[in-house]
Each structure stands twice: as structure tokens, then as C-alpha cells.
Amino acid sequence: MKIGVALGSGSARGWAHIGVLRALTQIGVRPDIVCGTSIGAFVGAAHAAGELDRLDEWARGLTWQKVVGFFDIGARGGLIKGEKLTAFLLSHFVDRDIAELPVAFGTVATDLATGREIWLREGSVADAVRASVALPGLLAPVQHGEQLLVDGGLVNPVPVSLCRALGADIVIAVDLGSDLVGRKFRNAAATEPPPAGWRQRLAWLLGAAGAEHVARAEGPSLLDVVAGSINIMQVRIARSRMAGEPADVLIAPRLAQVGLFDYHRCDEAIEEGSESVRVMQPAILRALGRD
């Protein structure tokens, strides 16, 4: 019986996938197939390559300043060109062909021209991950042959269907958006304000009028509106897809307080990922016939 894990999209909330995968290992569940969308592709690729410990150590060391350092401002395709992120992936994590990974791996992207769902199952791991995380408007698209690819969360935020297609008999899905819709744009008690360096970069993007608005921090920011819109879209799509393609077990970390770019809040996301597995442990073992 092959076990598949489908890791969903969710930007910075995706560090919860590290906690999920670790907690699954602790209860004796080792997936034969790992599929991911967006940040789920990033974490899933690290796990499939045997580099989850390395990713864990790096993610826990992130600060706001380091996160902002990856933002190479662009004028075409997205606010962030993504060249710094790609260079980091290639220099810090071993890139190899997907077919050579010790654990079967696949990721999802979206063809910008046709809207088709694209399954990436061969070629460079780094290229596949970079395509899957290309959040429209924020991160520039990726040229893949004749296709221009963007974030897979537009079409399949929790890739249960890809897990099934790769031969999974039991699919454990991780949905990072279960508690997002209906929450306020900003939870002042839980969300840390961005540092001056980030505000300055955002002000530069918005121009002189935007600079004054960012300095006053009145109302929802540009990123708040973008993040909120993306959250609504992906939550609705994920619910629709999983209604027709249900997982055997659904794990739902509750991380609505973690913002789109709160990658420096890795510790709490990982802990919540681990806790969500502990909550669902009876269901997981029952689905695997181990209760």
C-alpha cells in the first residue's frame, strides 16, 4: 500500500509542512509519494531529496532582513524577479532530476496562457519548484519550454489528484487555508509590523503617494489586499477540488495569524504542523489500518 502526502499552498504558512512531515515520521508514517503546490512543492522537494533537516535549519534562521534580501524588485511579470531566490536554491540545495529523487515527487504549476494545470514530473527539481511558487503579480513567471508557468495554487492548491495519479493508495492531504476566510486582514495582536527596510521597499514600489500611506500604515496595505484576495481564491478552489477528489485524511494546521511573507515565523508554523498531526493521529492510523 503506497502512502502519498499532498502538501498545499500557503506561502509562509507552508513551513508547517516541515512539522507535519516530521510528526508523520515519528508515528511511523513514511510517504512513498510526495506532491506539493507552491510552498508545498518547496518543502516536499526537500523531503523527497532527503534534505528536510537542512531546510529546517535554514528556515529557523530566517529574519525579516534575510527575507527582504531575496526580493529583487522587477518591473516585468512580477514585483519580484525571483533571480535571487533561484540562485539561492541552486547554491544551497542539491539540484537533481526529479526522476532521480529517492522518494517519488511531483508538483503543480499553471500555464498562464491556457489556464491548464501542469504536472511537473521530470527535469530539474529547482526549476519545477520555482515555477510552482511563482505567485502571480508578486513573483515573475517561469519559462518552461513554450509554456509560461505561474503558481499551481491557481488551479490545484492541495494536489490530491496528482498523488493519486502517481499511484498513492492512501493520501494524507495538508490544507493550510482551512481557517483563513472570514478573518480580518490584519490581526494586530498576532502579526508583527514589518521593519523599516521592508516599508521603504514597499513605498518605493508605490511611489511618492504610496510612501506617505505606508509610513502612516493606515488601513490595509497593498500586500494585505493581495494576500487576502489570494487566500480567498485558493481556499475556494481547494474546497471545490477536494470535494470531488477527497483525501483519505485531511490535516489542517491553523495558521491564519501568519501573513503572506511572515517567513521569519518558522518556529510557530512548524509547531502547529506537528500539533495538527497529533490531533489527527487516530484518523491517520485508522486510514492505514494500524488502529
Side-chain angles (χ1 to χ4, degrees):
M1 184 171 61
K2 290 187 177 181
I3 303 171
V5 174
L7 305 177
S9 59
S11 297
R13 292 182 294 276
W15 293 144
H17 292 317
I18 297 175
V20 167
L21 291 167
R22 289 199 178 285
L24 288 175
T25 300
Q26 290 169 1
I27 63 174
V29 178
R30 293 175 173 79
D32 305 288
I33 299 164
V34 177
C35 297
T37 297
S38 196
I39 186 66
F42 186 20
V43 178
H47 179 75
E51 296 190 358
L52 192 64
D53 289 343
R54 194 173 178 185
L55 177 61
D56 187 334
E57 181 181 0
W58 172 73
R60 290 182 187 273
L62 284 176
T63 62
W64 250 112
Q65 290 75 17
K66 290 181 179 179
V67 172
V68 172
F70 287 112
F71 294 173
D72 45 353
I73 305 301
R76 296 181 61 85
L79 297 179
I80 304 167
K81 291 184 290 186
E83 294 174 359
K84 288 186 177 180
L85 177 61
T86 301
F88 175 84
L89 293 176
L90 293 174
S91 62
H92 287 73
F93 296 94
V94 177
D95 188 27
R96 63 183 81 174
D97 193 281
I98 292 174
E100 297 175 357
L101 295 175
V103 175
F105 172 73
T107 186
V108 179
T110 304
D111 186 333
L112 188 61
T114 66
R116 290 178 53 220
E117 178 178 341
I118 305 298
W119 290 352
L120 300 174
R121 282 285 297 120
E122 58 185 19
S124 163
V125 172
D127 289 347
V129 170
R130 173 63 181 83
S132 189
V133 303
L135 203 60
L138 295 178
L139 201 58
V142 172
Q143 192 73 44
H144 180 76
E146 297 181 356
Q147 298 169 320
L148 197 60
L149 301 183
V150 294
D151 196 306
L154 294 177
V155 289
N156 196 352
V158 186
V160 174
S161 56
L162 179 53
C163 271
R164 301 281 190 204
L166 295 183
D169 300 299
I170 299 293
V171 176
I172 300 170
V174 185
D175 180 10
L176 302 176
S178 62
D179 64 335
L180 292 182
V181 175
R183 297 292 293 264
K184 294 181 179 179
F185 276 113
R186 183 183 301 277
N187 184 338
T191 304
E192 301 172 18
W198 170 248
R199 289 197 298 271
Q200 290 167 359
R201 287 194 175 215
L202 181 56
W204 181 85
L205 291 172
L206 297 176
E212 182 179 356
H213 171 76
V214 171
R216 294 196 308 268
E218 294 178 354
S221 70
L222 168 65
L223 290 183
D224 284 329
V225 174
V226 170
S229 301
I230 291 172
N231 288 340
I232 291 170
M233 174 193 70
Q234 293 193 350
V235 167
R236 300 303 186 193
I237 295 172
R239 289 177 181 175
S240 176
R241 290 294 300 258
M242 287 193 291
E245 303 160 346
D248 296 280
V249 180
L250 180 61
I251 297 173
R254 303 186 68 80
L255 288 164
Q257 77 280 6
V258 177
L260 188 71
F261 288 121
D262 285 348
Y263 289 98
H264 61 298
R265 301 174 67 178
C266 178
D267 289 345
E268 64 183 285
I270 291 177
E271 177 56 35
E272 175 58 24
S274 298
E275 178 61 26
S276 65
V277 172
R278 287 192 285 270
V279 170
M280 294 301 296
Q281 181 173 335
I284 294 170
L285 298 180
R286 186 163 53 251
L288 298 175
R290 300 180 189 177
D291 54 343

